Amino acid sequence: MFYNGKDSTQFLQQTEFIDTALVPLISIGLKKETLHNAASQSDYVLSLVNALENQFKGRVVAFPSFCYVEGQEKEDLYSNWKLAFENSPFKHVLFITGDSEWLAIDDSVLWTPTIPLDSMDAKMKIKILDDQVRQIIPRIAEKWST
Protein backbone atom coordinates (compact mmCIF):
# COMPACT_ATOMS: atom_id res chain seq x y z
CA MET A 1 0.00 0.00 0.00
CA PHE A 2 0.97 3.54 -0.56
CA TYR A 3 0.13 6.64 1.41
CA ASN A 4 -2.71 7.80 -0.82
CA GLY A 5 -6.48 8.21 -0.63
CA LYS A 6 -7.40 4.88 -2.21
CA ASP A 7 -5.02 2.78 -0.14
CA SER A 8 -5.75 4.68 3.09
CA THR A 9 -9.34 3.41 3.00
CA GLN A 10 -8.10 -0.16 2.84
CA PHE A 11 -5.53 0.52 5.55
CA LEU A 12 -8.15 1.87 7.94
CA GLN A 13 -10.17 -1.31 7.45
CA GLN A 14 -7.18 -3.62 8.04
CA THR A 15 -4.94 -1.92 10.62
CA GLU A 16 -4.41 -5.18 12.51
CA PHE A 17 -2.62 -6.69 9.50
CA ILE A 18 -0.85 -3.64 8.10
CA ASP A 19 1.61 -2.86 10.87
CA THR A 20 4.68 -1.42 9.16
CA ALA A 21 5.50 2.01 7.76
CA LEU A 22 8.25 2.29 5.14
CA VAL A 23 9.67 5.81 5.27
CA PRO A 24 12.30 6.93 2.76
CA LEU A 25 14.76 9.52 4.09
CA ILE A 26 15.84 11.62 1.12
CA SER A 27 18.58 14.22 0.99
CA ILE A 28 17.85 17.18 -1.26
CA GLY A 29 21.10 18.42 -2.80
CA LEU A 30 20.74 22.00 -3.92
CA LYS A 31 24.32 22.76 -4.86
CA LYS A 32 25.73 22.05 -8.30
CA GLU A 33 28.20 19.64 -6.71
CA THR A 34 25.55 17.61 -4.84
CA LEU A 35 22.39 17.82 -6.95
CA HIS A 36 23.04 14.92 -9.33
CA ASN A 37 24.27 12.54 -6.64
CA ALA A 38 21.36 13.36 -4.31
CA ALA A 39 18.83 12.97 -7.13
CA SER A 40 20.35 9.64 -8.14
CA GLN A 41 20.31 8.46 -4.52
CA SER A 42 16.67 9.52 -4.25
CA ASP A 43 15.76 7.60 -7.41
CA TYR A 44 17.37 4.44 -6.05
CA VAL A 45 15.85 4.65 -2.55
CA LEU A 46 12.36 5.39 -3.88
CA SER A 47 12.60 2.54 -6.39
CA LEU A 48 13.72 0.25 -3.57
CA VAL A 49 10.84 1.32 -1.34
CA ASN A 50 8.41 0.61 -4.19
CA ALA A 51 9.95 -2.85 -4.66
CA LEU A 52 9.69 -3.55 -0.90
CA GLU A 53 6.08 -2.41 -0.90
CA ASN A 54 5.39 -4.81 -3.74
CA GLN A 55 7.13 -7.65 -1.87
CA PHE A 56 5.24 -7.03 1.38
CA LYS A 57 1.91 -5.85 -0.03
CA GLY A 58 -0.76 -6.11 2.64
CA ARG A 59 1.73 -5.70 5.49
CA VAL A 60 3.34 -2.30 4.80
CA VAL A 61 2.47 1.24 3.84
CA ALA A 62 5.06 3.10 1.77
CA PHE A 63 5.07 6.73 2.86
CA PRO A 64 6.11 9.74 0.82
CA SER A 65 9.72 10.77 1.26
CA PHE A 66 10.84 12.58 4.37
CA CYS A 67 13.13 15.12 2.74
CA TYR A 68 15.84 17.24 4.26
CA VAL A 69 18.48 19.61 2.97
CA GLU A 70 22.15 19.86 3.82
CA GLY A 71 22.75 21.56 7.14
CA GLN A 72 19.52 20.51 8.82
CA GLU A 73 19.94 18.85 12.19
CA LYS A 74 19.17 15.23 11.42
CA GLU A 75 18.90 14.31 15.10
CA ASP A 76 16.04 16.78 15.61
CA LEU A 77 14.27 15.71 12.44
CA TYR A 78 14.58 12.05 13.32
CA SER A 79 13.36 12.42 16.89
CA ASN A 80 10.33 14.42 15.69
CA TRP A 81 9.50 11.84 13.00
CA LYS A 82 9.99 8.94 15.38
CA LEU A 83 7.79 10.57 18.02
CA ALA A 84 5.04 11.22 15.46
CA PHE A 85 5.05 7.56 14.42
CA GLU A 86 4.95 6.38 18.05
CA ASN A 87 1.46 7.87 18.20
CA SER A 88 0.35 6.09 15.02
CA PRO A 89 -1.19 2.65 14.48
CA PHE A 90 2.09 1.29 13.09
CA LYS A 91 3.94 -1.21 15.27
CA HIS A 92 7.04 -0.98 13.10
CA VAL A 93 8.55 2.04 11.39
CA LEU A 94 11.35 1.37 8.93
CA PHE A 95 13.31 4.40 7.85
CA ILE A 96 15.23 3.65 4.63
CA THR A 97 18.02 5.78 3.21
CA GLY A 98 21.10 5.87 1.05
CA ASP A 99 22.72 8.48 3.31
CA SER A 100 25.13 6.72 5.68
CA GLU A 101 25.11 9.68 8.10
CA TRP A 102 21.79 8.38 9.48
CA LEU A 103 23.58 5.35 10.94
CA ALA A 104 25.33 7.62 13.44
CA ILE A 105 21.93 8.81 14.66
CA ASP A 106 20.18 5.44 14.86
CA ASP A 107 21.68 2.18 13.71
CA SER A 108 18.20 0.73 13.21
CA VAL A 109 17.79 2.90 10.10
CA LEU A 110 17.95 0.68 7.03
CA TRP A 111 20.88 2.07 5.11
CA THR A 112 21.66 0.78 1.66
CA PRO A 113 24.42 1.75 -0.71
CA THR A 114 22.85 3.33 -3.74
CA ILE A 115 23.48 2.47 -7.34
CA PRO A 116 22.77 4.99 -10.10
CA LEU A 117 19.78 3.65 -12.03
CA ASP A 118 19.44 6.45 -14.57
CA SER A 119 21.64 4.89 -17.24
CA MET A 120 20.46 1.27 -16.88
CA ASP A 121 17.96 -0.55 -18.98
CA ALA A 122 14.74 -1.71 -17.33
CA LYS A 123 15.75 -5.37 -16.96
CA MET A 124 19.00 -4.48 -15.19
CA LYS A 125 17.17 -2.08 -12.83
CA ILE A 126 14.71 -4.81 -11.87
CA LYS A 127 17.51 -7.31 -11.27
CA ILE A 128 19.49 -4.92 -9.08
CA LEU A 129 16.43 -3.94 -7.06
CA ASP A 130 15.37 -7.57 -6.65
CA ASP A 131 18.86 -8.43 -5.39
CA GLN A 132 18.73 -5.57 -2.91
CA VAL A 133 15.25 -6.57 -1.71
CA ARG A 134 16.55 -10.10 -1.04
CA GLN A 135 19.34 -8.61 1.06
CA ILE A 136 16.98 -6.37 3.04
CA ILE A 137 14.28 -8.99 3.74
CA PRO A 138 16.22 -10.61 6.63
CA ARG A 139 16.81 -7.21 8.21
CA ILE A 140 13.10 -6.42 8.03
CA ALA A 141 12.16 -9.86 9.35
CA GLU A 142 14.52 -9.29 12.29
CA LYS A 143 12.78 -6.00 13.12
CA TRP A 144 9.40 -7.72 12.94
CA SER A 145 10.54 -10.39 15.40
CA THR A 146 11.59 -7.86 18.06
Side-chain angles (χ1 to χ4, degrees):
M1 296 187 167
F2 292 93
Y3 186 78
N4 62 38
K6 179 181 148 233
D7 289 351
S8 68
T9 302
Q10 185 179 357
F11 167 73
L12 292 171
Q13 295 169 350
Q14 300 176 355
T15 54
E16 67 275 10
F17 304 111
I18 306 161
D19 65 351
T20 304
L22 296 176
V23 184
L25 301 176
I26 303 295
S27 173
I28 304 294
L30 299 174
K31 297 177 184 172
K32 284 183 181 181
E33 307 82 39
T34 59
L35 192 133
H36 180 74
N37 188 45
S40 182
Q41 190 177 85
S42 171
D43 184 30
Y44 184 81
V45 170
L46 294 175
S47 296
L48 181 59
V49 166
N50 287 340
L52 288 166
E53 187 281 335
N54 190 49
Q55 178 73 30
F56 296 115
K57 193 172 287 298
R59 174 98 195 244
V60 303
V61 174
F63 275 79
S65 303
F66 279 25
C67 299
Y68 56 95
V69 294
E70 295 170 32
Q72 282 188 282
E73 290 296 323
K74 291 179 181 164
E75 293 88 354
D76 293 340
L77 292 172
Y78 186 72
S79 62
N80 289 336
W81 295 335
K82 203 163 181 176
L83 181 63
F85 274 104
E86 285 175 6
N87 298 316
S88 76
F90 295 99
K91 294 177 192 161
H92 308 282
V93 180
L94 305 175
F95 292 98
I96 302 173
T97 188
D99 180 352
S100 63
E101 290 181 11
W102 285 102
L103 294 175
I105 296 165
D106 187 339
D107 63 359
S108 70
V109 169
L110 293 174
W111 173 79
T112 180
T114 58
I115 300 166
L117 299 174
D118 49 335
S119 61
M120 289 183 198
D121 65 44
K123 286 182 183 180
M124 182 58 82
K125 285 181 190 179
I126 291 169
K127 182 184 179 336
I128 286 175
L129 290 169
D130 285 347
D131 288 346
Q132 190 65 47
V133 166
R134 278 194 290 284
Q135 291 178 32
I136 291 177
I137 286 173
R139 294 167 59 194
I140 294 174
E142 178 183 323
K143 291 180 184 298
W144 282 338
S145 68
T146 58

